[in-house]
Structures are given as C-alpha cells and as structure tokens.
Amino acid sequence: MNTEEKADAPVAPPPEDDGMTWWYRWLCKIAGVLGGVSCAVSGVWNCVTVNPLNIAAGVWMVLTAFVLFLCEVPFCCQFIEFANAIAARADKFKPWQKSFFYCGLALFPVFLSFSFTTLFGNAIAFATGVLYGLASLGKKGEAVTYARLQHQKMGDEERMTEKANGAPE
C-alpha cells in the first residue's frame, strides 16, 4: 500500500472496551453538549463587565465550551480541519481521564472568579465529568456474587475467631 491508499483506507473505530452502554455513552455526550451551551452562554455573559478576573473566567468558559463541542460533537465544528482528529483522540481516552479533564476545565473559572454565573455556567460541564467518572467505576456487580462473597467472608471470620479462642478445629 502506498501513502495515498493508506490515507483513503477507512479507519476502524476504537474498540468499545470501557464498559459503557450505548445509552450511557449518549447521556454523556448530551450532557457534554448541554454543558458546552451553558458554558458558552454564561461565559459571554461573564465577559460583559469591567472586572478583569470575570473577563478571564468568561474567556476560559467559552474555551471550555469549545473543547466540549470539539471532543463530544465534532460535527458542530465541521469547518475546523483538525476537529475530527481531536475527536478521535478524545474518544481513545479512558472515562476517568475525561472525567479529570472536564472537571478541571469546569472548576478553574469558579476558583478564578466565584459568582453565580461561573458556578451555574460550569455546573453541567462538571456534571459531564462526574458522569464519565461514574462510568470509570464500572458496572454494578450481581447480587448472587456479592452474597457468595459475604457468605465466604463470614465463614472465614468464624474460623479466625475459633482459632483465636483456642477452640479445636
């Protein structure tokens, strides 16, 4: 294959090994879009002031909105050449990495300029990070497996107390 054939070859999507169901993945994407909209609107509103910290927080919020749109819904940024490459790289991140990234992006303007606009504007973006963090914890275990583990643990504890009390085995 020459370089032209490699460029035209379809790129296979990354394997879905992060344990997220399709509806939870869509929930995270929708939360990311809503978080981007709230950050953008609140960021622009925050820039309408004379306080330089509010302006800096507003600019950061608009940039956070851009990053959320770029990572979660790259078709909104279709006229930016590198949007698909960044979205493909962001899809390869593990959920806990996305969680730290989104929560960090959402917390910085709140620490920079604490106000209702920055707090509520970044709340949905922070919630997106929380959703990705919950996804990194994995699926809930089965009740039968948990009951077996508890039963085995109780049996082990009884044997340990019998040995400690000097009872014969």
Side-chain angles (χ1 to χ4, degrees):
M1 267 189 165
N2 60 19
T3 57
E4 291 176 306
E5 291 175 2
K6 287 181 182 177
D8 294 335
V11 177
E16 306 283 332
D17 60 353
D18 55 4
M20 292 173 61
T21 58
W22 66 270
W23 60 268
Y24 196 80
R25 186 176 311 277
W26 275 98
L27 177 69
C28 291
K29 293 223 181 260
I30 290 170
V33 170
L34 293 177
V37 169
S38 72
C39 276
V41 170
S42 298
V44 169
W45 181 257
N46 216 18
C47 286
V48 183
T49 184
V50 291
N51 187 355
L53 287 177
N54 282 353
I55 294 172
V59 169
W60 186 272
M61 290 170 67
V62 171
L63 289 175
T64 300
F66 178 70
V67 168
L68 281 169
F69 285 142
L70 200 59
C71 293
E72 296 296 329
V73 283
F75 62 84
C76 290
C77 307
Q78 63 184 347
F79 298 111
I80 299 173
E81 293 179 15
F82 56 87
N84 288 333
I86 290 177
R89 182 170 288 164
D91 283 340
K92 292 179 185 176
F93 286 156
K94 292 180 175 31
W96 67 269
Q97 292 170 328
K98 282 186 177 182
S99 175
F100 279 124
F101 183 62
Y102 290 160
C103 287
L105 282 175
L107 284 178
F108 183 73
V110 174
F111 290 137
L112 193 61
S113 171
F114 186 77
S115 67
F116 284 118
T117 310
T118 56
L119 189 65
F120 292 123
N122 288 309
I124 302 175
F126 187 80
T128 303
V130 169
L131 285 173
Y132 276 112
L134 289 174
S136 69
L137 294 176
K139 293 182 180 179
K140 188 171 105 174
E142 296 179 8
V144 175
T145 307
Y146 181 73
R148 282 186 193 148
L149 287 174
Q150 286 293 79
H151 182 68
Q152 183 181 15
K153 182 179 174 184
M154 288 176 54
D156 290 343
E157 287 177 358
E158 288 175 1
R159 280 189 237 118
M160 293 294 286
T161 55
E162 288 174 1
K163 286 182 182 179
N165 292 336
E169 291 184 30

mmCIF file of all heavy atoms in Angstrom, residues 72-117:
data_model
loop_
_atom_site.group_PDB
_atom_site.id
_atom_site.type_symbol
_atom_site.label_atom_id
_atom_site.label_comp_id
_atom_site.label_asym_id
_atom_site.label_seq_id
_atom_site.Cartn_x
_atom_site.Cartn_y
_atom_site.Cartn_z
ATOM 1 N N GLU A 72 -16.875 16.137 22.145
ATOM 2 C CA GLU A 72 -18.117 15.357 22.225
ATOM 3 C C GLU A 72 -18.895 15.336 20.911
ATOM 4 O O GLU A 72 -19.441 14.301 20.546
ATOM 5 C CB GLU A 72 -19.007 15.898 23.344
ATOM 6 C CG GLU A 72 -18.408 15.768 24.730
ATOM 7 C CD GLU A 72 -18.209 14.328 25.164
ATOM 8 O OE1 GLU A 72 -18.988 13.461 24.749
ATOM 9 O OE2 GLU A 72 -17.257 14.081 25.907
ATOM 10 N N VAL A 73 -19.001 16.457 20.227
ATOM 11 C CA VAL A 73 -19.772 16.532 18.992
ATOM 12 C C VAL A 73 -18.958 17.262 17.922
ATOM 13 O O VAL A 73 -19.181 18.435 17.650
ATOM 14 C CB VAL A 73 -21.136 17.228 19.205
ATOM 15 C CG1 VAL A 73 -22.119 16.317 19.879
ATOM 16 C CG2 VAL A 73 -20.994 18.510 19.987
ATOM 17 N N PRO A 74 -18.020 16.561 17.308
ATOM 18 C CA PRO A 74 -17.146 17.243 16.346
ATOM 19 C C PRO A 74 -17.863 17.709 15.079
ATOM 20 O O PRO A 74 -17.334 18.557 14.369
ATOM 21 C CB PRO A 74 -16.087 16.195 16.028
ATOM 22 C CG PRO A 74 -16.725 14.895 16.328
ATOM 23 C CD PRO A 74 -17.664 15.157 17.464
ATOM 24 N N PHE A 75 -19.065 17.215 14.806
ATOM 25 C CA PHE A 75 -19.766 17.671 13.616
ATOM 26 C C PHE A 75 -20.235 19.114 13.766
ATOM 27 O O PHE A 75 -20.537 19.769 12.772
ATOM 28 C CB PHE A 75 -20.944 16.753 13.255
ATOM 29 C CG PHE A 75 -22.008 16.675 14.299
ATOM 30 C CD1 PHE A 75 -23.010 17.611 14.371
ATOM 31 C CD2 PHE A 75 -22.011 15.636 15.213
ATOM 32 C CE1 PHE A 75 -23.993 17.534 15.335
ATOM 33 C CE2 PHE A 75 -22.988 15.539 16.176
ATOM 34 C CZ PHE A 75 -23.977 16.507 16.242
ATOM 35 N N CYS A 76 -20.274 19.627 14.993
ATOM 36 C CA CYS A 76 -20.582 21.046 15.191
ATOM 37 C C CYS A 76 -19.411 21.937 14.768
ATOM 38 O O CYS A 76 -19.592 23.123 14.546
ATOM 39 C CB CYS A 76 -20.912 21.320 16.653
ATOM 40 S SG CYS A 76 -22.477 20.626 17.172
ATOM 41 N N CYS A 77 -18.231 21.356 14.694
ATOM 42 C CA CYS A 77 -17.023 22.086 14.305
ATOM 43 C C CYS A 77 -16.509 21.571 12.973
ATOM 44 O O CYS A 77 -15.303 21.386 12.794
ATOM 45 C CB CYS A 77 -15.949 21.926 15.382
ATOM 46 S SG CYS A 77 -16.482 22.336 17.032
ATOM 47 N N GLN A 78 -17.398 21.350 12.021
ATOM 48 C CA GLN A 78 -17.002 20.705 10.772
ATOM 49 C C GLN A 78 -16.113 21.575 9.893
ATOM 50 O O GLN A 78 -15.431 21.058 9.010
ATOM 51 C CB GLN A 78 -18.228 20.260 10.003
ATOM 52 C CG GLN A 78 -19.135 21.386 9.555
ATOM 53 C CD GLN A 78 -20.374 20.862 8.881
ATOM 54 O OE1 GLN A 78 -20.436 19.701 8.537
ATOM 55 N NE2 GLN A 78 -21.354 21.716 8.698
ATOM 56 N N PHE A 79 -16.079 22.882 10.123
ATOM 57 C CA PHE A 79 -15.240 23.742 9.296
ATOM 58 C C PHE A 79 -13.843 23.910 9.873
ATOM 59 O O PHE A 79 -13.026 24.627 9.314
ATOM 60 C CB PHE A 79 -15.913 25.104 9.106
ATOM 61 C CG PHE A 79 -17.216 24.985 8.392
ATOM 62 C CD1 PHE A 79 -18.410 25.223 9.044
ATOM 63 C CD2 PHE A 79 -17.258 24.596 7.063
ATOM 64 C CE1 PHE A 79 -19.611 25.095 8.385
ATOM 65 C CE2 PHE A 79 -18.460 24.467 6.396
ATOM 66 C CZ PHE A 79 -19.640 24.714 7.057
ATOM 67 N N ILE A 80 -13.553 23.254 10.973
ATOM 68 C CA ILE A 80 -12.216 23.263 11.554
ATOM 69 C C ILE A 80 -11.541 21.972 11.109
ATOM 70 O O ILE A 80 -12.053 20.877 11.358
ATOM 71 C CB ILE A 80 -12.290 23.364 13.088
ATOM 72 C CG1 ILE A 80 -12.993 24.660 13.478
ATOM 73 C CG2 ILE A 80 -10.912 23.290 13.690
ATOM 74 C CD1 ILE A 80 -13.269 24.794 14.946
ATOM 75 N N GLU A 81 -10.417 22.098 10.460
ATOM 76 C CA GLU A 81 -9.773 20.940 9.834
ATOM 77 C C GLU A 81 -9.365 19.865 10.816
ATOM 78 O O GLU A 81 -9.463 18.681 10.526
ATOM 79 C CB GLU A 81 -8.550 21.409 9.036
ATOM 80 C CG GLU A 81 -8.891 22.248 7.842
ATOM 81 C CD GLU A 81 -7.652 22.698 7.100
ATOM 82 O OE1 GLU A 81 -6.575 22.139 7.341
ATOM 83 O OE2 GLU A 81 -7.786 23.613 6.278
ATOM 84 N N PHE A 82 -8.892 20.251 11.980
ATOM 85 C CA PHE A 82 -8.362 19.282 12.931
ATOM 86 C C PHE A 82 -9.411 18.749 13.899
ATOM 87 O O PHE A 82 -9.081 18.014 14.819
ATOM 88 C CB PHE A 82 -7.204 19.895 13.721
ATOM 89 C CG PHE A 82 -7.568 21.169 14.446
ATOM 90 C CD1 PHE A 82 -8.119 21.127 15.713
ATOM 91 C CD2 PHE A 82 -7.346 22.390 13.852
ATOM 92 C CE1 PHE A 82 -8.454 22.285 16.381
ATOM 93 C CE2 PHE A 82 -7.681 23.559 14.519
ATOM 94 C CZ PHE A 82 -8.235 23.509 15.780
ATOM 95 N N ALA A 83 -10.680 19.068 13.703
ATOM 96 C CA ALA A 83 -11.729 18.677 14.649
ATOM 97 C C ALA A 83 -11.886 17.159 14.731
ATOM 98 O O ALA A 83 -11.993 16.604 15.832
ATOM 99 C CB ALA A 83 -13.052 19.324 14.271
ATOM 100 N N ASN A 84 -11.898 16.480 13.606
ATOM 101 C CA ASN A 84 -12.078 15.028 13.625
ATOM 102 C C ASN A 84 -10.884 14.313 14.240
ATOM 103 O O ASN A 84 -11.047 13.296 14.912
ATOM 104 C CB ASN A 84 -12.344 14.504 12.214
ATOM 105 C CG ASN A 84 -13.722 14.885 11.730
ATOM 106 O OD1 ASN A 84 -14.629 15.070 12.524
ATOM 107 N ND2 ASN A 84 -13.875 15.031 10.422
ATOM 108 N N ALA A 85 -9.686 14.840 14.020
ATOM 109 C CA ALA A 85 -8.500 14.224 14.617
ATOM 110 C C ALA A 85 -8.526 14.358 16.137
ATOM 111 O O ALA A 85 -8.216 13.406 16.863
ATOM 112 C CB ALA A 85 -7.239 14.865 14.045
ATOM 113 N N ILE A 86 -8.929 15.526 16.631
ATOM 114 C CA ILE A 86 -9.007 15.718 18.077
ATOM 115 C C ILE A 86 -10.124 14.865 18.668
ATOM 116 O O ILE A 86 -9.966 14.277 19.739
ATOM 117 C CB ILE A 86 -9.200 17.207 18.407
ATOM 118 C CG1 ILE A 86 -7.913 17.953 18.089
ATOM 119 C CG2 ILE A 86 -9.588 17.412 19.860
ATOM 120 C CD1 ILE A 86 -7.979 19.432 18.302
ATOM 121 N N ALA A 87 -11.256 14.777 17.986
ATOM 122 C CA ALA A 87 -12.365 13.962 18.485
ATOM 123 C C ALA A 87 -11.979 12.481 18.521
ATOM 124 O O ALA A 87 -12.347 11.760 19.455
ATOM 125 C CB ALA A 87 -13.597 14.159 17.625
ATOM 126 N N ALA A 88 -11.242 12.027 17.523
ATOM 127 C CA ALA A 88 -10.800 10.630 17.513
ATOM 128 C C ALA A 88 -9.831 10.364 18.665
ATOM 129 O O ALA A 88 -9.901 9.320 19.312
ATOM 130 C CB ALA A 88 -10.134 10.299 16.172
ATOM 131 N N ARG A 89 -8.959 11.309 18.931
ATOM 132 C CA ARG A 89 -8.034 11.152 20.053
ATOM 133 C C ARG A 89 -8.779 11.202 21.383
ATOM 134 O O ARG A 89 -8.457 10.467 22.309
ATOM 135 C CB ARG A 89 -6.958 12.223 20.011
ATOM 136 C CG ARG A 89 -5.945 12.070 21.126
ATOM 137 C CD ARG A 89 -4.779 12.971 20.950
ATOM 138 N NE ARG A 89 -3.962 12.471 19.844
ATOM 139 C CZ ARG A 89 -3.045 13.191 19.238
ATOM 140 N NH1 ARG A 89 -2.826 14.429 19.619
ATOM 141 N NH2 ARG A 89 -2.339 12.673 18.257
ATOM 142 N N ALA A 90 -9.783 12.069 21.493
ATOM 143 C CA ALA A 90 -10.560 12.173 22.733
ATOM 144 C C ALA A 90 -11.384 10.908 22.974
ATOM 145 O O ALA A 90 -11.607 10.525 24.118
ATOM 146 C CB ALA A 90 -11.478 13.391 22.682
ATOM 147 N N ASP A 91 -11.822 10.248 21.900
ATOM 148 C CA ASP A 91 -12.572 9.003 22.061
ATOM 149 C C ASP A 91 -11.701 7.871 22.571
ATOM 150 O O ASP A 91 -12.207 6.902 23.131
ATOM 151 C CB ASP A 91 -13.224 8.590 20.743
ATOM 152 C CG ASP A 91 -14.465 9.405 20.445
ATOM 153 O OD1 ASP A 91 -15.032 9.997 21.389
ATOM 154 O OD2 ASP A 91 -14.869 9.453 19.268
ATOM 155 N N LYS A 92 -10.396 7.971 22.386
ATOM 156 C CA LYS A 92 -9.492 6.936 22.877
ATOM 157 C C LYS A 92 -9.179 7.075 24.363
ATOM 158 O O LYS A 92 -8.651 6.151 24.969
ATOM 159 C CB LYS A 92 -8.179 6.972 22.082
ATOM 160 C CG LYS A 92 -8.342 6.552 20.643
ATOM 161 C CD LYS A 92 -7.030 6.635 19.904
ATOM 162 C CE LYS A 92 -7.219 6.324 18.433
ATOM 163 N NZ LYS A 92 -5.959 6.486 17.688
ATOM 164 N N PHE A 93 -9.509 8.231 24.949
ATOM 165 C CA PHE A 93 -9.256 8.419 26.378
ATOM 166 C C PHE A 93 -10.140 7.496 27.197
ATOM 167 O O PHE A 93 -11.270 7.191 26.822
ATOM 168 C CB PHE A 93 -9.535 9.856 26.803
ATOM 169 C CG PHE A 93 -8.504 10.848 26.354
ATOM 170 C CD1 PHE A 93 -8.844 12.173 26.212
ATOM 171 C CD2 PHE A 93 -7.205 10.479 26.078
ATOM 172 C CE1 PHE A 93 -7.915 13.103 25.807
ATOM 173 C CE2 PHE A 93 -6.264 11.396 25.670
ATOM 174 C CZ PHE A 93 -6.621 12.714 25.538
ATOM 175 N N LYS A 94 -9.654 7.090 28.324
ATOM 176 C CA LYS A 94 -10.455 6.301 29.262
ATOM 177 C C LYS A 94 -11.426 7.248 29.975
ATOM 178 O O LYS A 94 -11.178 8.453 30.036
ATOM 179 C CB LYS A 94 -9.530 5.620 30.259
ATOM 180 C CG LYS A 94 -8.665 4.543 29.635
ATOM 181 C CD LYS A 94 -7.775 3.916 30.689
ATOM 182 C CE LYS A 94 -6.971 2.759 30.212
ATOM 183 N NZ LYS A 94 -6.532 2.715 28.860
ATOM 184 N N PRO A 95 -12.535 6.710 30.493
ATOM 185 C CA PRO A 95 -13.516 7.597 31.138
ATOM 186 C C PRO A 95 -12.948 8.398 32.314
ATOM 187 O O PRO A 95 -13.318 9.549 32.515
ATOM 188 C CB PRO A 95 -14.611 6.638 31.602
ATOM 189 C CG PRO A 95 -14.519 5.483 30.690
ATOM 190 C CD PRO A 95 -13.068 5.351 30.348
ATOM 191 N N TRP A 96 -12.032 7.813 33.079
ATOM 192 C CA TRP A 96 -11.501 8.567 34.215
ATOM 193 C C TRP A 96 -10.623 9.718 33.750
ATOM 194 O O TRP A 96 -10.552 10.763 34.415
ATOM 195 C CB TRP A 96 -10.742 7.660 35.178
ATOM 196 C CG TRP A 96 -9.471 7.069 34.646
ATOM 197 C CD1 TRP A 96 -9.309 5.888 33.999
ATOM 198 C CD2 TRP A 96 -8.165 7.661 34.712
ATOM 199 N NE1 TRP A 96 -8.005 5.690 33.654
ATOM 200 C CE2 TRP A 96 -7.278 6.764 34.087
ATOM 201 C CE3 TRP A 96 -7.667 8.842 35.236
ATOM 202 C CZ2 TRP A 96 -5.925 7.037 33.972
ATOM 203 C CZ3 TRP A 96 -6.313 9.096 35.113
ATOM 204 C CH2 TRP A 96 -5.467 8.195 34.501
ATOM 205 N N GLN A 97 -9.984 9.587 32.590
ATOM 206 C CA GLN A 97 -9.184 10.680 32.054
ATOM 207 C C GLN A 97 -10.076 11.829 31.588
ATOM 208 O O GLN A 97 -9.785 12.999 31.840
ATOM 209 C CB GLN A 97 -8.316 10.184 30.901
ATOM 210 C CG GLN A 97 -7.236 9.229 31.341
ATOM 211 C CD GLN A 97 -6.537 8.546 30.184
ATOM 212 O OE1 GLN A 97 -7.152 8.291 29.144
ATOM 213 N NE2 GLN A 97 -5.263 8.242 30.367
ATOM 214 N N LYS A 98 -11.172 11.474 30.930
ATOM 215 C CA LYS A 98 -12.129 12.502 30.521
ATOM 216 C C LYS A 98 -12.737 13.180 31.742
ATOM 217 O O LYS A 98 -12.987 14.386 31.736
ATOM 218 C CB LYS A 98 -13.238 11.900 29.667
ATOM 219 C CG LYS A 98 -12.853 11.636 28.248
ATOM 220 C CD LYS A 98 -14.065 11.175 27.467
ATOM 221 C CE LYS A 98 -13.737 10.962 26.023
ATOM 222 N NZ LYS A 98 -14.919 10.559 25.248
ATOM 223 N N SER A 99 -12.984 12.396 32.779
ATOM 224 C CA SER A 99 -13.572 12.935 33.994
ATOM 225 C C SER A 99 -12.678 14.006 34.613
ATOM 226 O O SER A 99 -13.140 15.108 34.931
ATOM 227 C CB SER A 99 -13.820 11.805 34.991
ATOM 228 O OG SER A 99 -14.275 12.320 36.210
ATOM 229 N N PHE A 100 -11.406 13.699 34.791
ATOM 230 C CA PHE A 100 -10.486 14.682 35.359
ATOM 231 C C PHE A 100 -10.343 15.903 34.452
ATOM 232 O O PHE A 100 -10.291 17.040 34.929
ATOM 233 C CB PHE A 100 -9.108 14.060 35.603
ATOM 234 C CG PHE A 100 -9.033 13.273 36.871
ATOM 235 C CD1 PHE A 100 -8.647 11.947 36.836
ATOM 236 C CD2 PHE A 100 -9.338 13.845 38.085
ATOM 237 C CE1 PHE A 100 -8.570 11.217 37.997
ATOM 238 C CE2 PHE A 100 -9.268 13.119 39.256
ATOM 239 C CZ PHE A 100 -8.878 11.803 39.216
ATOM 240 N N PHE A 101 -10.309 15.674 33.161
ATOM 241 C CA PHE A 101 -10.149 16.772 32.213
ATOM 242 C C PHE A 101 -11.346 17.717 32.254
ATOM 243 O O PHE A 101 -11.184 18.940 32.379
ATOM 244 C CB PHE A 101 -9.936 16.204 30.808
ATOM 245 C CG PHE A 101 -9.682 17.231 29.762
ATOM 246 C CD1 PHE A 101 -8.566 18.049 29.826
ATOM 247 C CD2 PHE A 101 -10.555 17.370 28.700
ATOM 248 C CE1 PHE A 101 -8.323 18.998 28.844
ATOM 249 C CE2 PHE A 101 -10.321 18.315 27.717
ATOM 250 C CZ PHE A 101 -9.212 19.134 27.783
ATOM 251 N N TYR A 102 -12.560 17.170 32.169
ATOM 252 C CA TYR A 102 -13.756 18.014 32.153
ATOM 253 C C TYR A 102 -13.993 18.691 33.497
ATOM 254 O O TYR A 102 -14.377 19.862 33.543
ATOM 255 C CB TYR A 102 -14.989 17.197 31.763
ATOM 256 C CG TYR A 102 -15.003 16.754 30.321
ATOM 257 C CD1 TYR A 102 -15.803 15.702 29.902
ATOM 258 C CD2 TYR A 102 -14.223 17.365 29.361
ATOM 259 C CE1 TYR A 102 -15.827 15.295 28.584
ATOM 260 C CE2 TYR A 102 -14.232 16.959 28.044
ATOM 261 C CZ TYR A 102 -15.037 15.932 27.663
ATOM 262 O OH TYR A 102 -15.057 15.530 26.352
ATOM 263 N N CYS A 103 -13.769 17.975 34.584
ATOM 264 C CA CYS A 103 -13.958 18.596 35.897
ATOM 265 C C CYS A 103 -12.931 19.694 36.136
ATOM 266 O O CYS A 103 -13.246 20.736 36.714
ATOM 267 C CB CYS A 103 -13.886 17.543 37.014
ATOM 268 S SG CYS A 103 -15.328 16.480 37.068
ATOM 269 N N GLY A 104 -11.702 19.478 35.691
ATOM 270 C CA GLY A 104 -10.678 20.515 35.822
ATOM 271 C C GLY A 104 -10.997 21.747 35.003
ATOM 272 O O GLY A 104 -10.819 22.880 35.471
ATOM 273 N N LEU A 105 -11.483 21.535 33.772
ATOM 274 C CA LEU A 105 -11.881 22.667 32.942
ATOM 275 C C LEU A 105 -13.029 23.442 33.572
ATOM 276 O O LEU A 105 -13.093 24.669 33.465
ATOM 277 C CB LEU A 105 -12.308 22.188 31.548
ATOM 278 C CG LEU A 105 -11.207 21.818 30.563
ATOM 279 C CD1 LEU A 105 -11.823 21.244 29.294
ATOM 280 C CD2 LEU A 105 -10.353 23.012 30.238
ATOM 281 N N ALA A 106 -13.936 22.742 34.239
ATOM 282 C CA ALA A 106 -15.105 23.401 34.818
ATOM 283 C C ALA A 106 -14.794 24.083 36.150
ATOM 284 O O ALA A 106 -15.440 25.073 36.504
ATOM 285 C CB ALA A 106 -16.236 22.394 35.003
ATOM 286 N N LEU A 107 -13.827 23.586 36.888
ATOM 287 C CA LEU A 107 -13.538 24.160 38.206
ATOM 288 C C LEU A 107 -12.661 25.413 38.139
ATOM 289 O O LEU A 107 -12.765 26.283 39.014
ATOM 290 C CB LEU A 107 -12.865 23.122 39.099
ATOM 291 C CG LEU A 107 -13.776 22.062 39.683
ATOM 292 C CD1 LEU A 107 -12.962 21.076 40.511
ATOM 293 C CD2 LEU A 107 -14.857 22.689 40.536
ATOM 294 N N PHE A 108 -11.802 25.511 37.151
ATOM 295 C CA PHE A 108 -10.864 26.628 37.097
ATOM 296 C C PHE A 108 -11.552 27.991 37.100
ATOM 297 O O PHE A 108 -11.159 28.878 37.876
ATOM 298 C CB PHE A 108 -9.926 26.473 35.901
ATOM 299 C CG PHE A 108 -8.896 27.554 35.827
ATOM 300 C CD1 PHE A 108 -7.841 27.574 36.722
ATOM 301 C CD2 PHE A 108 -8.985 28.560 34.877
ATOM 302 C CE1 PHE A 108 -6.891 28.574 36.671
ATOM 303 C CE2 PHE A 108 -8.042 29.552 34.811
ATOM 304 C CZ PHE A 108 -6.991 29.561 35.712
ATOM 305 N N PRO A 109 -12.582 28.252 36.270
ATOM 306 C CA PRO A 109 -13.208 29.576 36.309
ATOM 307 C C PRO A 109 -13.932 29.859 37.619
ATOM 308 O O PRO A 109 -14.024 31.008 38.037
ATOM 309 C CB PRO A 109 -14.193 29.581 35.155
ATOM 310 C CG PRO A 109 -14.063 28.315 34.458
ATOM 311 C CD PRO A 109 -13.112 27.448 35.174
ATOM 312 N N VAL A 110 -14.407 28.819 38.275
ATOM 313 C CA VAL A 110 -15.081 29.024 39.567
ATOM 314 C C VAL A 110 -14.069 29.506 40.601
ATOM 315 O O VAL A 110 -14.360 30.399 41.410
ATOM 316 C CB VAL A 110 -15.787 27.725 40.027
ATOM 317 C CG1 VAL A 110 -16.357 27.870 41.416
ATOM 318 C CG2 VAL A 110 -16.882 27.348 39.044
ATOM 319 N N PHE A 111 -12.862 28.934 40.584
ATOM 320 C CA PHE A 111 -11.826 29.395 41.502
ATOM 321 C C PHE A 111 -11.289 30.773 41.108
ATOM 322 O O PHE A 111 -10.880 31.548 41.962
ATOM 323 C CB PHE A 111 -10.666 28.395 41.556
ATOM 324 C CG PHE A 111 -11.021 27.114 42.232
ATOM 325 C CD1 PHE A 111 -10.603 25.914 41.699
ATOM 326 C CD2 PHE A 111 -11.775 27.088 43.393
ATOM 327 C CE1 PHE A 111 -10.917 24.716 42.319
ATOM 328 C CE2 PHE A 111 -12.104 25.906 44.010
ATOM 329 C CZ PHE A 111 -11.674 24.714 43.483
ATOM 330 N N LEU A 112 -11.308 31.069 39.828
ATOM 331 C CA LEU A 112 -10.810 32.346 39.343
ATOM 332 C C LEU A 112 -11.740 33.491 39.732
ATOM 333 O O LEU A 112 -11.288 34.529 40.210
ATOM 334 C CB LEU A 112 -10.646 32.280 37.826
ATOM 335 C CG LEU A 112 -9.864 33.388 37.147
ATOM 336 C CD1 LEU A 112 -8.436 33.414 37.674
ATOM 337 C CD2 LEU A 112 -9.844 33.156 35.648
ATOM 338 N N SER A 113 -13.014 33.288 39.555
ATOM 339 C CA SER A 113 -13.998 34.329 39.864
ATOM 340 C C SER A 113 -15.275 33.641 40.341
ATOM 341 O O SER A 113 -16.097 33.214 39.530
ATOM 342 C CB SER A 113 -14.277 35.177 38.627
ATOM 343 O OG SER A 113 -15.369 36.038 38.854
ATOM 344 N N PHE A 114 -15.446 33.539 41.646
ATOM 345 C CA PHE A 114 -16.608 32.847 42.196
ATOM 346 C C PHE A 114 -17.833 33.744 42.113
ATOM 347 O O PHE A 114 -17.907 34.796 42.747
ATOM 348 C CB PHE A 114 -16.349 32.442 43.654
ATOM 349 C CG PHE A 114 -17.438 31.600 44.243
ATOM 350 C CD1 PHE A 114 -17.522 30.266 43.928
ATOM 351 C CD2 PHE A 114 -18.386 32.148 45.087
ATOM 352 C CE1 PHE A 114 -18.524 29.479 44.452
ATOM 353 C CE2 PHE A 114 -19.387 31.378 45.614
ATOM 354 C CZ PHE A 114 -19.458 30.038 45.303
ATOM 355 N N SER A 115 -18.789 33.341 41.291
ATOM 356 C CA SER A 115 -20.051 34.066 41.166
ATOM 357 C C SER A 115 -21.115 33.068 40.712
ATOM 358 O O SER A 115 -20.804 31.934 40.350
ATOM 359 C CB SER A 115 -19.929 35.226 40.170
ATOM 360 O OG SER A 115 -19.723 34.736 38.869
ATOM 361 N N PHE A 116 -22.364 33.518 40.731
ATOM 362 C CA PHE A 116 -23.446 32.629 40.289
ATOM 363 C C PHE A 116 -23.290 32.266 38.816
ATOM 364 O O PHE A 116 -23.582 31.143 38.413
ATOM 365 C CB PHE A 116 -24.807 33.292 40.510
ATOM 366 C CG PHE A 116 -25.243 33.286 41.945
ATOM 367 C CD1 PHE A 116 -25.449 34.483 42.613
ATOM 368 C CD2 PHE A 116 -25.432 32.102 42.624
ATOM 369 C CE1 PHE A 116 -25.841 34.482 43.938
ATOM 370 C CE2 PHE A 116 -25.819 32.088 43.942
ATOM 371 C CZ PHE A 116 -26.023 33.296 44.609
ATOM 372 N N THR A 117 -22.813 33.202 38.030
ATOM 373 C CA THR A 117 -22.660 32.945 36.598
ATOM 374 C C THR A 117 -21.634 31.858 36.345
ATOM 375 O O THR A 117 -21.875 30.944 35.549
ATOM 376 C CB THR A 117 -22.240 34.236 35.873
ATOM 377 O OG1 THR A 117 -23.123 35.282 36.253
ATOM 378 C CG2 THR A 117 -22.294 34.057 34.386
#
